[in-house]
Amino acid sequence: GELIQQVLTAPEKAQWIVKAAMEDKDVQVQKHLSKALKVIPEDWLALLMPLLDNPSYETVAIALEKLCEAHPDKAKQFLLLTQNTVGTRGRNVRIKWLELSLIYQPDPKWAKELIGFTSNSFEFLSRVAAAEACWRLNLYSDVLMANLLEAAGSPNGRLRNPCRAVIRKFYQQPIIR
């Protein structure tokens, strides 16, 4: 991880380490690579595309976000490649996919699905991740607020506290208050 971080500070000289990391059998190496990527030159795309199908769902979510940010003109392609990936128990890839889809190819059905993940039909990891994504997108609705208020009363502090924080953030906006 440290070697990857150091080499990637000079991307013009780092393609060899990216290639070596992508060929490594240890998925942790690719996870470190995806986290360390700051700049993604066009000629690295073919080399990095396999990150979107990595065995580590954390790596997939990170790579999807970084690739979309680095090459927004290709975001639809990256999103298409990951559209059926759910991810971990907390649906990390699907929630990141919905968030990025709402940025790069907005559709009301994606907003409805993302807000739906904040309901009590889902476990707390999905609910918290979806609530935080809604905040980052400023995706406010009455349904979202009802779900957040229900979560704010939960005995589970790992659900209650983050949802209360999202409510406070929305409440700071005069138009929502």
Side-chain angles (χ1 to χ4, degrees), residues 20 37 47 61 68 72 86 88 139 141 174:
L37 289 171
L47 193 59
C68 286
V86 176
T88 62
L139 187 64
S141 77

Side-chain angles (χ1 to χ4, degrees), residues 16-148:
W16 69 271
I17 194 74
V18 171
K19 188 173 184 332
M22 292 301 294
E23 291 171 355
D24 197 293
K25 302 267 188 267
D26 185 355
V27 296
Q28 293 298 317
V29 174
Q30 283 100 33
K31 186 191 298 186
H32 287 301
L33 173 67
S34 65
K35 287 180 177 180
L37 289 171
K38 302 273 188 273
V39 177
I40 303 175
E42 185 83 27
D43 58 339
W44 288 14
L45 287 180
L47 193 59
L48 294 172
M49 292 292 278
L51 290 174
L52 298 176
D53 191 33
N54 193 277
S56 164
Y57 291 128
E58 184 180 355
T59 300
V60 173
I62 294 166
L64 179 60
E65 183 172 30
K66 291 203 174 179
L67 286 167
C68 286
E69 287 174 355
H71 299 280
D73 56 315
K74 294 179 175 40
K76 287 184 181 185
Q77 175 188 355
F78 305 139
L79 291 164
L80 184 63
L81 290 170
T82 54
Q83 69 183 350
N84 296 319
T85 307
V86 176
T88 62
R89 182 171 56 113
R91 294 170 178 78
N92 69 323
V93 177
R94 183 63 184 175
I95 290 170
K96 182 54 67 179
W97 187 93
L98 290 166
E99 182 178 0
L100 293 167
S101 290
L102 286 164
I103 293 169
Y104 297 104
Q105 54 183 23
D107 189 315
K109 68 182 174 187
W110 306 138
K112 183 177 181 183
E113 184 178 350
L114 183 59
I115 290 170
F117 281 131
T118 66
S119 80
N120 61 11
S121 297
F122 297 93
E123 42 49 67
F124 81 95
L125 292 172
S126 296
R127 295 180 76 184
V128 168
E132 290 171 346
C134 288
W135 161 248
R136 287 189 297 272
L137 293 166
N138 200 28
L139 187 64
Y140 179 85
S141 77
D142 292 341
V143 172
L144 172 65
M145 190 51 68
N147 291 343
L148 290 174

